[in-house]
Amino acid sequence: MARSPSPAPPAKLGPKLTRRFFARSVHAVAPELIGATLLYGGVGGVIVEVEAYHHTDPAAHSYGGQTPRNAVMFGPPGYAYVYRSYGIHWCVNVVCEAKGSASAVLIRALAPTHGLDAMRDRRGLDDERLLCSGPGKLTQALGISIAANGLPLDAPPFTIHRRPAEPDIVTGPRIGITKAADYPWRYGLRGSRFLSKPFPR
DNA sequence: CAGTGGATGCTCT
DNA sequence: GAGCATCCACTGT
């Protein structure tokens, strides 16, 4: 099959984010991640959708206390928390706030900009819009698995670049949860074609 | 487009 | 043994 020539968005990248960036409230970090560029092994794109999970939030994995699975959430900020979802997919979070706060931001969708061919191979798809438009899709496209759990976000294979400008951000209820389903802690880039689902209007 | 159900494995009760 | 921070294929309008 002929692969459509990808009209790659302009690769505008701010400076690399350091761990200090994550040492703040998830509600401060989450909107600032919209527009940032996430790379894993050089493959990735612009973050267009995230969700905040605070430790006081019944939907957070850390809500019930520390367990082997969520241990990374209880560690220092600036690290990746990866877990298996529905037995099939991986999902990646960035740990925020102070050590022990056990709060994190789930990365839910990217606009692909780097390594499109690698993403297409891993996903078995050509359509750019479907490569990273969901938390399980983007980990597959980037090759993120449990091996990335606990890795620092400011060192290879991870790289996160600050957003080059402040984007137009939408908020709404989080996706796919039953507890605290009304908290408006989903953040997205307004009008993006790469969201996992549209935001309610 | 909306809704439904299966796949699949791990975590915690 | 239940319950998932999901995705995809399939159905019916």
Side-chain angles (χ1 to χ4, degrees):
Chain A
M1 281 296 288
R3 285 179 171 174
S4 55
S6 51
K12 285 191 260 181
L13 299 177
K16 290 181 184 177
L17 292 183
T18 61
R19 288 181 212 187
R20 189 168 303 278
F21 175 87
F22 301 99
R24 297 176 293 144
S25 160
V26 283
H27 303 301
V29 174
E32 278 195 44
L33 283 173
I34 302 299
T37 292
L38 169 68
L39 303 178
Y40 186 76
V43 175
V46 176
I47 299 172
V48 297
E49 182 183 336
V50 301
E51 285 175 357
Y53 286 89
H54 192 255
H55 68 285
T56 57
D57 162 13
H61 285 179
S62 54
Y63 183 69
Q66 186 171 342
T67 66
R69 176 178 72 153
N70 65 22
V72 173
M73 284 188 79
F74 287 80
Y79 288 81
Y81 165 49
V82 179
Y83 70 94
R84 199 189 272 287
S85 176
Y86 290 91
I88 302 174
H89 305 101
W90 301 107
C91 292
V92 62
N93 295 250
V94 302
V95 177
C96 297
E97 306 199 355
K99 180 178 180 182
S101 169
S103 300
V105 175
L106 171 68
I107 309 298
R108 286 195 55 92
L110 308 178
T113 57
H114 291 64
L116 278 281
D117 285 342
M119 295 193 204
R120 290 187 169 111
D121 286 345
R122 293 181 180 133
R123 294 274 296 126
L125 294 170
D126 277 349
D127 189 343
E128 195 180 352
R129 295 179 53 157
L130 302 180
L131 292 178
C132 297
S133 55
K137 297 178 187 179
L138 75 90
T139 54
Q140 185 183 26
L142 272 58
I144 292 175
S145 74
I146 193 63
N149 190 40
L151 294 184
L153 298 164
D154 60 353
F158 277 108
T159 315
I160 307 183
H161 291 272
R162 183 179 292 273
R163 60 189 184 178
E166 186 168 340
D168 193 358
I169 291 173
V170 212
T171 63
R174 295 173 294 181
I175 305 289
I177 57 172
T178 53
K179 289 168 279 191
D182 54 324
Y183 294 15
W185 290 353
R186 178 181 179 224
Y187 300 84
L189 178 62
R190 186 184 299 278
S192 171
R193 310 175 351 257
F194 300 97
L195 299 174
S196 66
K197 285 179 60 174
F199 278 75
R201 357 188 351 173

